[in-house]
Amino acid sequence: MLRFFKSSLPIHLLALLVLVLALRLPLLWLGLPVTAAELRALLVGERLHGGAIPYRDLYDGTAPLAAAAFAVLDAVVARPVWLYRVGALLLLLIQALRLNLVFNRYDVHPERGYLAALTYLLVGSVSTELDALSPLLLGHTFIVFSLSALLPTSREGYDNRRLFRAGFLIGLGALCYLPLSLFVIVGLFAVVIFAANSFRSSLLLLCGFFFPYALVATFFFYTGAMPGFVQFHLLPGLTDLIASGLPAGLRLRLLVVPVVVLALALLRSLGTSLGLVFQIKFRQMMLVWLLVAIATAAVERGTAPGVLVLLLPPLAYFGLFLWQRYEHMWMLELLLLLVLNAAVVLRFRAHIPRLEALLRMPAESRFGLEPDPRYAAVRGQTLLILGADDRAYFHNHPATPYLDWALSQVDFGHLNEYAAVVRIAQKMGPLPPAYLLDQTRQVPRLKQLLPALFGPYQPTGLPGLYRRRAGQ
């Protein structure tokens, strides 16, 4: 298998695509439950498609470019879960093939072929988290595309556009997932080891990075969303993103295969001498890339949806050293087969009898969201949830800006302040939602403070659910 994928013929690319689709499509066909992050993305896309302005008409910290992408998908199909899954698969394929193309084009390793893409896609299939579209997966695509623009040219005039483009792409990635802004460190390190004029080149990179932020800030300034952009996204963006919902123990066990392969690849690469100075510098840059990827994952304590994708580029690069020629090639062939089998077993363990119990690893699908059966009769209604449990939105529509309950505490957490009560009255708008789901027992207090707005809501007999009387 190694010898086959060391060739760069188109037929071998086709074989790679067939292998990856055979590995990933069955679970997509069988169906995966919606995750908490996916439900939030669906709701954000629905609200923005309906005309809401992020951070002004929506209390949510989703990065602006990711939110815009979710709105575009919702414009194609309402609640497009299947489109999210297809998009995630396409993005992972694009990242792998783009990275493989850069490695081959710039001769970062003496051997060519599709081994980098094969490693990227095999290890990326270990967990089903990368089957779901996430802001991190969206943003990481821009980071991968920035790599070629960071590679060296000796003429400063030619570096100008390349370095500005590299910074611009990193900025777009950060606009999808804010912690990806740390990859500016990789860009600055590349400037130091490659560029002729480090100071000027660093400024070009930083100008490119801040340019998309300047455009977004200008838009939010003129739409009155700038304070919310700072308050709901920039300030809590590095510490308060929605988690994947997977237990820490399960996440660590899923990372065993990627970490073992990465460790073996690093050991092999550090013991390999490279002939070209460029190849040596590129290896140094990828070591920095790995450290920045680990730091980006650590920002959210490894709980961000799709965090595995951060390890895939350095793993694909250092994997080239792992799969290079060796006197006992059969051992490498066996190792590759073990990685392939591990991906199959971990990915399909929920559909193999007693395998979950044997591995002591519950499938990720067991931690997906399901609609709350207590409110199954409420469907297609406008709803406001006063609490952190969003499951009632599965079959209903959010009708107010209060989507993220933690961020909504700037109003509902200060009901003893007149300004907060006024903001609630304004944000509820002229058409209040048909139903309220009170998970925090605040409706009695709200009826006292805003009787004209909350007085018409009456209990329905279901726990915490209130219905607004018709005509009021």
Side-chain angles (χ1 to χ4, degrees):
M1 185 183 291
L2 283 176
R3 183 179 300 177
F4 180 82
F5 286 108
K6 282 183 179 180
S7 172
S8 55
L9 294 175
I11 187 64
H12 297 161
L13 172 60
L14 179 61
L16 173 63
L17 294 177
V18 170
L19 174 63
V20 171
L21 292 177
L23 184 61
R24 299 182 68 90
L25 285 183
L27 277 188
L28 295 183
W29 180 262
L30 292 172
L32 293 169
V34 175
T35 65
E38 280 183 305
L39 178 60
R40 176 60 56 82
L42 291 168
L43 297 176
V44 169
E46 182 179 285
R47 289 285 293 154
L48 266 58
H49 179 217
I53 300 295
Y55 316 117
R56 188 194 71 182
D57 305 324
L58 196 63
Y59 283 42
D60 180 75
T62 303
L65 194 55
F70 298 146
V72 170
L73 293 178
D74 192 80
V76 177
V77 181
R79 300 281 176 104
V81 177
W82 66 270
L83 200 55
Y84 278 36
R85 305 290 165 78
V86 173
L89 175 59
L90 289 177
L91 286 179
L92 200 67
L93 283 171
I94 290 171
Q95 292 177 26
L97 296 178
R98 174 65 181 182
L99 200 66
N100 197 94
L101 176 64
V102 171
F103 289 168
N104 287 343
R105 177 180 294 175
Y106 290 92
D107 294 318
V108 303
H109 189 271
E111 296 184 1
R112 295 190 175 192
Y114 293 107
L115 284 177
L118 177 66
T119 305
Y120 198 103
L121 293 169
L122 279 185
V123 178
S125 300
V126 167
S127 171
T128 59
E129 266 203 311
L130 294 184
D131 290 82
L133 189 64
S134 65
L136 174 53
L137 187 60
L138 278 169
H140 192 259
T141 306
F142 293 108
I143 301 299
V144 169
F145 273 80
S146 72
L147 176 59
S148 61
L150 292 173
L151 297 184
T153 58
S154 58
R155 298 179 181 179
E156 190 67 19
Y158 183 53
D159 282 342
N160 288 346
R161 289 184 300 173
R162 292 173 63 87
L163 289 174
F164 185 88
R165 185 168 72 250
F168 184 79
L169 289 169
I170 295 173
L172 291 179
L175 283 175
C176 292
Y177 180 73
L178 186 56
L180 288 175
S181 58
L182 294 176
F183 275 87
V184 170
I185 299 172
V186 177
L188 293 175
F189 182 80
V191 165
V192 170
I193 63 176
F194 288 135
N197 188 328
S198 298
F199 178 73
R200 182 183 177 187
S201 299
S202 299
L203 290 181
L204 285 169
L205 180 77
L206 293 175
C207 285
F209 173 76
F210 286 112
F211 183 70
Y213 270 94
L215 294 177
V216 168
T218 302
F219 171 77
F220 288 142
F221 177 78
Y222 282 104
T223 56
M226 191 63 188
F229 177 58
V230 175
Q231 183 179 13
F232 300 143
H233 175 64
L234 293 182
L235 293 180
L238 290 174
T239 57
D240 192 30
L241 299 175
I242 189 167
S244 67
L246 295 181
L250 175 59
R251 182 177 294 279
L252 289 175
R253 279 176 281 180
L254 287 171
L255 288 175
V256 167
V257 172
V259 169
V260 168
V261 175
L262 180 59
L264 293 175
L266 281 172
L267 290 174
R268 190 83 192 278
S269 68
L270 296 177
T272 301
S273 59
L274 295 171
L276 299 178
V277 174
F278 167 75
Q279 292 177 346
I280 296 173
K281 290 183 176 181
F282 189 88
R283 181 168 61 184
Q284 294 171 352
M285 187 180 72
M286 291 308 294
L287 283 170
V288 175
W289 185 302
L290 174 61
L291 294 176
V292 171
I294 294 173
T296 304
V299 167
E300 289 296 312
R301 298 181 297 278
T303 62
V307 71
L308 172 61
V309 76
L310 293 169
L311 295 179
L312 296 183
L315 196 153
Y317 169 72
F318 291 111
L320 294 174
F321 295 92
L322 181 61
W323 310 124
Q324 68 183 349
R325 293 180 182 178
Y326 185 58
E327 58 180 329
H328 302 298
M329 283 299 295
W330 65 270
M331 296 178 63
L332 298 181
E333 294 281 358
L334 179 61
L335 179 60
L336 183 59
L337 288 175
L338 288 175
V339 173
L340 175 59
N341 289 328
V344 172
V345 168
L346 291 175
R347 185 172 179 80
F348 293 96
R349 64 188 184 277
H351 300 275
I352 302 176
R354 293 185 292 183
L355 188 57
E356 279 187 278
L358 180 64
L359 295 175
R360 296 183 180 179
M361 289 178 61
E364 296 95 313
S365 59
R366 298 188 181 277
F367 300 95
L369 293 182
E370 296 291 342
D372 194 328
R374 294 177 298 175
Y375 309 108
V378 182
R379 288 174 174 264
Q381 302 292 332
T382 55
L383 176 68
L384 169 61
I385 298 178
L386 302 177
D389 188 350
D390 291 343
R391 289 181 297 163
Y393 281 136
F394 259 102
H395 302 298
N396 298 284
H397 308 285
T400 71
Y402 299 110
L403 187 59
D404 188 310
W405 182 244
L407 298 179
S408 299
Q409 293 306 298
V410 298
D411 290 344
F412 286 98
H414 299 83
L415 293 180
N416 57 338
E417 299 177 11
Y418 178 75
V421 176
V422 171
R423 284 197 301 270
I424 292 174
Q426 293 174 341
K427 297 295 183 181
M428 292 288 286
L431 295 175
Y435 285 86
L436 284 180
L437 181 56
D438 185 14
Q439 300 171 354
T440 55
R441 299 181 180 179
Q442 290 192 332
V443 168
R445 179 91 183 275
L446 291 170
K447 286 188 174 186
Q448 293 177 352
L449 296 171
L450 296 167
L453 184 61
F454 289 94
Y457 286 98
Q458 300 299 321
T460 62
L462 297 175
L465 186 66
Y466 293 79
R467 182 176 182 176
R468 187 176 180 85
R469 290 198 301 267
Q472 298 191 31

